[in-house]
Short mmCIF file of all heavy atoms in Angstrom, two decimals:
data_model
loop_
_atom_site.label_atom_id
_atom_site.label_comp_id
_atom_site.label_asym_id
_atom_site.label_seq_id
_atom_site.Cartn_x
_atom_site.Cartn_y
_atom_site.Cartn_z
N TRP A 1430 17.53 5.09 11.57
CA TRP A 1430 17.10 5.26 10.20
C TRP A 1430 17.56 4.13 9.28
O TRP A 1430 18.59 3.50 9.53
CB TRP A 1430 17.68 6.55 9.64
CG TRP A 1430 17.17 7.74 10.34
CD1 TRP A 1430 17.74 8.39 11.50
CD2 TRP A 1430 15.98 8.49 10.05
NE1 TRP A 1430 17.00 9.43 11.91
CE2 TRP A 1430 15.90 9.56 11.08
CE3 TRP A 1430 14.95 8.40 9.15
CZ2 TRP A 1430 14.84 10.45 11.08
CZ3 TRP A 1430 13.92 9.27 9.17
CH2 TRP A 1430 13.85 10.31 10.12
N ILE A 1431 16.73 3.79 8.31
CA ILE A 1431 17.03 2.77 7.33
C ILE A 1431 17.21 3.41 5.98
O ILE A 1431 16.28 4.15 5.51
CB ILE A 1431 15.91 1.74 7.22
CG1 ILE A 1431 15.66 1.02 8.56
CG2 ILE A 1431 16.22 0.70 6.14
CD1 ILE A 1431 14.51 0.08 8.54
N VAL A 1432 18.34 3.23 5.38
CA VAL A 1432 18.63 3.68 4.01
C VAL A 1432 18.57 2.46 3.12
O VAL A 1432 19.16 1.46 3.42
CB VAL A 1432 20.04 4.34 3.92
CG1 VAL A 1432 20.29 4.76 2.47
CG2 VAL A 1432 20.15 5.53 4.91
N SER A 1433 17.83 2.61 1.97
CA SER A 1433 17.66 1.43 1.15
C SER A 1433 17.65 1.85 -0.34
O SER A 1433 17.32 3.01 -0.69
CB SER A 1433 16.34 0.65 1.47
OG SER A 1433 15.19 1.50 1.19
N ALA A 1434 17.95 0.86 -1.18
CA ALA A 1434 17.83 1.06 -2.64
C ALA A 1434 17.25 -0.26 -3.17
O ALA A 1434 17.68 -1.37 -2.79
CB ALA A 1434 19.22 1.27 -3.24
N GLY A 1435 16.30 -0.15 -4.10
CA GLY A 1435 15.76 -1.39 -4.68
C GLY A 1435 14.36 -1.13 -5.18
O GLY A 1435 13.91 0.00 -5.43
N TYR A 1436 13.64 -2.28 -5.39
CA TYR A 1436 12.33 -2.34 -5.98
C TYR A 1436 11.36 -2.74 -4.85
O TYR A 1436 11.10 -3.97 -4.68
CB TYR A 1436 12.30 -3.32 -7.15
CG TYR A 1436 13.16 -3.00 -8.30
CD1 TYR A 1436 14.60 -3.22 -8.20
CD2 TYR A 1436 12.71 -2.40 -9.48
CE1 TYR A 1436 15.39 -2.90 -9.26
CE2 TYR A 1436 13.53 -2.15 -10.54
CZ TYR A 1436 14.91 -2.36 -10.43
OH TYR A 1436 15.70 -2.08 -11.52
N VAL A 1437 10.88 -1.83 -4.09
CA VAL A 1437 10.05 -2.09 -2.89
C VAL A 1437 8.67 -1.59 -3.05
O VAL A 1437 8.48 -0.39 -3.40
CB VAL A 1437 10.71 -1.45 -1.67
CG1 VAL A 1437 9.90 -1.70 -0.42
CG2 VAL A 1437 12.18 -2.04 -1.41
N ASP A 1438 7.64 -2.44 -2.86
CA ASP A 1438 6.26 -2.02 -2.88
C ASP A 1438 6.02 -1.09 -1.71
O ASP A 1438 6.45 -1.35 -0.59
CB ASP A 1438 5.36 -3.25 -2.79
CG ASP A 1438 5.03 -3.80 -4.16
OD1 ASP A 1438 4.89 -3.01 -5.09
OD2 ASP A 1438 5.00 -5.07 -4.31
N ARG A 1439 5.17 -0.08 -1.97
CA ARG A 1439 4.74 0.84 -0.93
C ARG A 1439 3.22 0.97 -0.99
O ARG A 1439 2.65 1.03 -2.05
CB ARG A 1439 5.44 2.20 -1.04
CG ARG A 1439 6.88 2.13 -0.77
CD ARG A 1439 7.60 3.47 -0.96
NE ARG A 1439 9.00 3.37 -0.57
CZ ARG A 1439 10.00 2.94 -1.37
NH1 ARG A 1439 9.71 2.54 -2.60
NH2 ARG A 1439 11.24 2.87 -0.89
N TRP A 1440 2.62 1.19 0.17
CA TRP A 1440 1.14 1.43 0.29
C TRP A 1440 0.96 2.50 1.28
O TRP A 1440 1.26 2.29 2.53
CB TRP A 1440 0.49 0.10 0.70
CG TRP A 1440 -1.00 0.24 0.80
CD1 TRP A 1440 -1.72 0.73 1.86
CD2 TRP A 1440 -2.00 -0.21 -0.12
NE1 TRP A 1440 -3.05 0.71 1.62
CE2 TRP A 1440 -3.26 0.08 0.39
CE3 TRP A 1440 -1.92 -0.85 -1.35
CZ2 TRP A 1440 -4.43 -0.24 -0.22
CZ3 TRP A 1440 -3.07 -1.12 -2.03
CH2 TRP A 1440 -4.37 -0.86 -1.48
N TRP A 1441 0.52 3.67 0.88
CA TRP A 1441 0.33 4.84 1.76
C TRP A 1441 -1.15 5.05 1.95
O TRP A 1441 -1.79 5.68 1.06
CB TRP A 1441 1.07 6.05 1.21
CG TRP A 1441 2.57 6.02 1.37
CD1 TRP A 1441 3.29 5.02 1.80
CD2 TRP A 1441 3.49 7.03 0.96
NE1 TRP A 1441 4.63 5.33 1.80
CE2 TRP A 1441 4.75 6.59 1.27
CE3 TRP A 1441 3.30 8.26 0.35
CZ2 TRP A 1441 5.94 7.31 1.01
CZ3 TRP A 1441 4.43 9.05 0.07
CH2 TRP A 1441 5.73 8.60 0.40
N GLY A 1442 -1.62 4.71 3.07
CA GLY A 1442 -3.07 4.97 3.35
C GLY A 1442 -3.71 3.96 4.17
O GLY A 1442 -3.23 2.83 4.31
N PRO A 1443 -4.91 4.32 4.78
CA PRO A 1443 -5.63 3.39 5.62
C PRO A 1443 -6.53 2.38 4.90
O PRO A 1443 -7.13 1.52 5.54
CB PRO A 1443 -6.39 4.27 6.61
CG PRO A 1443 -6.68 5.48 5.69
CD PRO A 1443 -5.52 5.65 4.78
N GLY A 1444 -6.70 2.53 3.61
CA GLY A 1444 -7.68 1.77 2.85
C GLY A 1444 -7.25 0.37 2.67
O GLY A 1444 -6.04 0.06 2.58
N TRP A 1445 -8.27 -0.53 2.52
CA TRP A 1445 -7.97 -1.93 2.19
C TRP A 1445 -8.12 -2.15 0.69
O TRP A 1445 -7.50 -3.08 0.16
CB TRP A 1445 -9.01 -2.85 2.93
CG TRP A 1445 -8.71 -2.92 4.39
CD1 TRP A 1445 -9.12 -2.13 5.40
CD2 TRP A 1445 -7.98 -3.98 5.04
NE1 TRP A 1445 -8.65 -2.53 6.59
CE2 TRP A 1445 -7.98 -3.70 6.37
CE3 TRP A 1445 -7.30 -5.17 4.61
CZ2 TRP A 1445 -7.31 -4.50 7.39
CZ3 TRP A 1445 -6.68 -5.92 5.57
CH2 TRP A 1445 -6.70 -5.63 6.88
N GLN A 1446 -8.90 -1.35 -0.01
CA GLN A 1446 -9.14 -1.56 -1.41
C GLN A 1446 -8.24 -0.68 -2.34
O GLN A 1446 -8.12 -0.97 -3.51
CB GLN A 1446 -10.58 -1.32 -1.80
CG GLN A 1446 -11.55 -2.17 -1.00
CD GLN A 1446 -11.26 -3.65 -1.07
OE1 GLN A 1446 -11.10 -4.16 -2.21
NE2 GLN A 1446 -11.24 -4.35 0.00
N GLY A 1447 -7.69 0.39 -1.73
CA GLY A 1447 -6.85 1.22 -2.54
C GLY A 1447 -6.31 2.39 -1.76
O GLY A 1447 -6.74 2.68 -0.61
N SER A 1448 -5.34 3.04 -2.37
CA SER A 1448 -4.79 4.31 -1.85
C SER A 1448 -4.82 5.32 -3.02
O SER A 1448 -4.42 4.98 -4.13
CB SER A 1448 -3.37 4.11 -1.32
OG SER A 1448 -2.76 5.39 -1.08
N LEU A 1449 -5.25 6.56 -2.74
CA LEU A 1449 -5.40 7.54 -3.79
C LEU A 1449 -4.03 8.16 -4.19
O LEU A 1449 -3.99 8.72 -5.22
CB LEU A 1449 -6.37 8.62 -3.32
CG LEU A 1449 -7.77 8.17 -3.03
CD1 LEU A 1449 -8.56 9.27 -2.35
CD2 LEU A 1449 -8.43 7.83 -4.37
N ILE A 1450 -2.98 7.98 -3.41
CA ILE A 1450 -1.72 8.64 -3.70
C ILE A 1450 -0.62 7.60 -4.03
O ILE A 1450 0.19 7.86 -4.95
CB ILE A 1450 -1.26 9.56 -2.57
CG1 ILE A 1450 -0.09 10.33 -2.96
CG2 ILE A 1450 -0.98 8.79 -1.22
CD1 ILE A 1450 0.22 11.55 -2.04
N LEU A 1451 -0.55 6.54 -3.31
CA LEU A 1451 0.54 5.51 -3.56
C LEU A 1451 0.06 4.22 -3.09
O LEU A 1451 -0.12 3.97 -1.93
CB LEU A 1451 1.80 5.97 -2.86
CG LEU A 1451 3.09 5.11 -3.13
CD1 LEU A 1451 3.47 5.20 -4.59
CD2 LEU A 1451 4.22 5.58 -2.24
N SER A 1452 -0.07 3.23 -4.05
CA SER A 1452 -0.48 1.89 -3.76
C SER A 1452 0.45 0.89 -4.44
O SER A 1452 1.43 1.29 -5.12
CB SER A 1452 -1.92 1.58 -4.22
OG SER A 1452 -1.99 1.51 -5.64
N SER A 1453 0.18 -0.36 -4.22
CA SER A 1453 0.98 -1.42 -4.89
C SER A 1453 0.29 -1.89 -6.13
O SER A 1453 0.53 -3.00 -6.58
CB SER A 1453 1.23 -2.59 -3.93
OG SER A 1453 -0.01 -3.08 -3.41
N ASN A 1454 -0.56 -1.03 -6.70
CA ASN A 1454 -1.21 -1.44 -7.99
C ASN A 1454 -0.24 -1.55 -9.11
O ASN A 1454 -0.22 -2.55 -9.87
CB ASN A 1454 -2.28 -0.40 -8.33
CG ASN A 1454 -2.93 -0.65 -9.64
OD1 ASN A 1454 -3.56 -1.72 -9.84
ND2 ASN A 1454 -2.79 0.29 -10.54
N ALA A 1455 0.67 -0.53 -9.24
CA ALA A 1455 1.73 -0.66 -10.25
C ALA A 1455 2.91 -1.43 -9.69
O ALA A 1455 3.07 -1.51 -8.45
CB ALA A 1455 2.13 0.79 -10.65
N ARG A 1456 3.70 -1.92 -10.55
CA ARG A 1456 4.90 -2.63 -10.08
C ARG A 1456 5.84 -1.67 -9.39
O ARG A 1456 5.82 -0.44 -9.70
CB ARG A 1456 5.63 -3.24 -11.31
CG ARG A 1456 4.96 -4.46 -11.87
CD ARG A 1456 5.75 -4.97 -13.11
NE ARG A 1456 7.15 -5.13 -12.81
CZ ARG A 1456 8.13 -5.02 -13.74
NH1 ARG A 1456 7.82 -4.84 -14.99
NH2 ARG A 1456 9.38 -5.16 -13.36
N PRO A 1457 6.67 -2.10 -8.43
CA PRO A 1457 7.51 -1.13 -7.70
C PRO A 1457 8.62 -0.62 -8.70
O PRO A 1457 9.21 -1.39 -9.48
CB PRO A 1457 8.13 -1.99 -6.61
CG PRO A 1457 8.07 -3.40 -7.08
CD PRO A 1457 6.74 -3.44 -7.92
N MET A 1458 8.86 0.64 -8.59
CA MET A 1458 9.94 1.24 -9.44
C MET A 1458 11.24 1.31 -8.63
O MET A 1458 11.20 1.29 -7.40
CB MET A 1458 9.50 2.68 -9.93
CG MET A 1458 9.37 3.70 -8.77
SD MET A 1458 9.03 5.34 -9.41
CE MET A 1458 7.45 5.10 -10.25
N PRO A 1459 12.44 1.37 -9.31
CA PRO A 1459 13.62 1.43 -8.55
C PRO A 1459 13.75 2.77 -7.84
O PRO A 1459 13.39 3.81 -8.39
CB PRO A 1459 14.70 1.34 -9.70
CG PRO A 1459 13.98 1.76 -10.91
CD PRO A 1459 12.59 1.31 -10.77
N ALA A 1460 14.15 2.71 -6.60
CA ALA A 1460 14.13 3.90 -5.74
C ALA A 1460 15.17 3.87 -4.72
O ALA A 1460 15.56 2.82 -4.22
CB ALA A 1460 12.77 4.10 -5.18
N LEU A 1461 15.66 5.05 -4.31
CA LEU A 1461 16.42 5.20 -3.11
C LEU A 1461 15.51 5.73 -1.97
O LEU A 1461 14.67 6.63 -2.30
CB LEU A 1461 17.56 6.25 -3.31
CG LEU A 1461 18.64 5.87 -4.34
CD1 LEU A 1461 19.54 7.06 -4.62
CD2 LEU A 1461 19.46 4.72 -3.81
N ALA A 1462 15.60 5.22 -0.76
CA ALA A 1462 14.61 5.55 0.25
C ALA A 1462 15.30 5.74 1.60
O ALA A 1462 16.35 5.27 1.90
CB ALA A 1462 13.51 4.45 0.37
N LEU A 1463 14.64 6.59 2.44
CA LEU A 1463 15.07 6.83 3.78
C LEU A 1463 13.80 6.68 4.67
O LEU A 1463 12.87 7.40 4.44
CB LEU A 1463 15.67 8.19 3.97
CG LEU A 1463 16.10 8.61 5.43
CD1 LEU A 1463 17.23 7.77 5.89
CD2 LEU A 1463 16.43 10.11 5.47
N ASP A 1464 13.87 5.79 5.68
CA ASP A 1464 12.75 5.54 6.53
C ASP A 1464 13.10 5.52 8.01
O ASP A 1464 14.23 5.01 8.35
CB ASP A 1464 12.08 4.12 6.19
CG ASP A 1464 11.55 4.10 4.81
OD1 ASP A 1464 10.38 4.43 4.62
OD2 ASP A 1464 12.29 3.64 3.86
N ARG A 1465 12.26 6.13 8.85
CA ARG A 1465 12.53 6.02 10.28
C ARG A 1465 12.25 4.63 10.76
O ARG A 1465 11.25 4.02 10.45
CB ARG A 1465 11.68 7.11 11.02
CG ARG A 1465 12.17 7.26 12.49
CD ARG A 1465 11.51 8.59 13.02
NE ARG A 1465 12.18 8.98 14.29
CZ ARG A 1465 11.57 8.82 15.48
NH1 ARG A 1465 10.34 8.33 15.56
NH2 ARG A 1465 12.24 9.18 16.57
N ASN A 1466 13.17 4.11 11.59
CA ASN A 1466 13.06 2.68 11.98
C ASN A 1466 12.03 2.48 13.09
O ASN A 1466 11.02 1.78 12.89
CB ASN A 1466 14.45 2.21 12.41
CG ASN A 1466 14.56 0.70 12.42
OD1 ASN A 1466 13.64 -0.03 11.95
ND2 ASN A 1466 15.58 0.14 13.01
N GLU A 1467 12.27 3.03 14.27
CA GLU A 1467 11.28 2.90 15.36
C GLU A 1467 10.63 4.23 15.67
O GLU A 1467 11.25 5.29 15.63
CB GLU A 1467 12.04 2.42 16.62
CG GLU A 1467 12.61 1.01 16.48
CD GLU A 1467 13.06 0.41 17.83
OE1 GLU A 1467 12.51 0.82 18.87
OE2 GLU A 1467 13.95 -0.45 17.79
N PRO A 1468 9.31 4.22 15.84
CA PRO A 1468 8.55 5.45 15.96
C PRO A 1468 8.54 6.07 17.36
O PRO A 1468 7.54 6.34 17.95
CB PRO A 1468 7.16 4.98 15.59
CG PRO A 1468 7.08 3.59 16.13
CD PRO A 1468 8.48 3.01 15.95
#
Side-chain angles (χ1 to χ4, degrees):
W1430 296 91
I1431 300 175
V1432 179
S1433 63
Y1436 299 78
V1437 177
D1438 272 321
R1439 293 176 176 85
W1440 181 281
W1441 286 2
W1445 287 84
Q1446 303 306 312
S1448 168
L1449 295 169
I1450 190 167
L1451 186 62
S1452 74
S1453 53
N1454 177 60
R1456 288 176 50 205
M1458 64 175 62
L1461 297 172
L1463 176 68
D1464 297 272
R1465 194 165 192 252
N1466 197 12
E1467 294 192 27

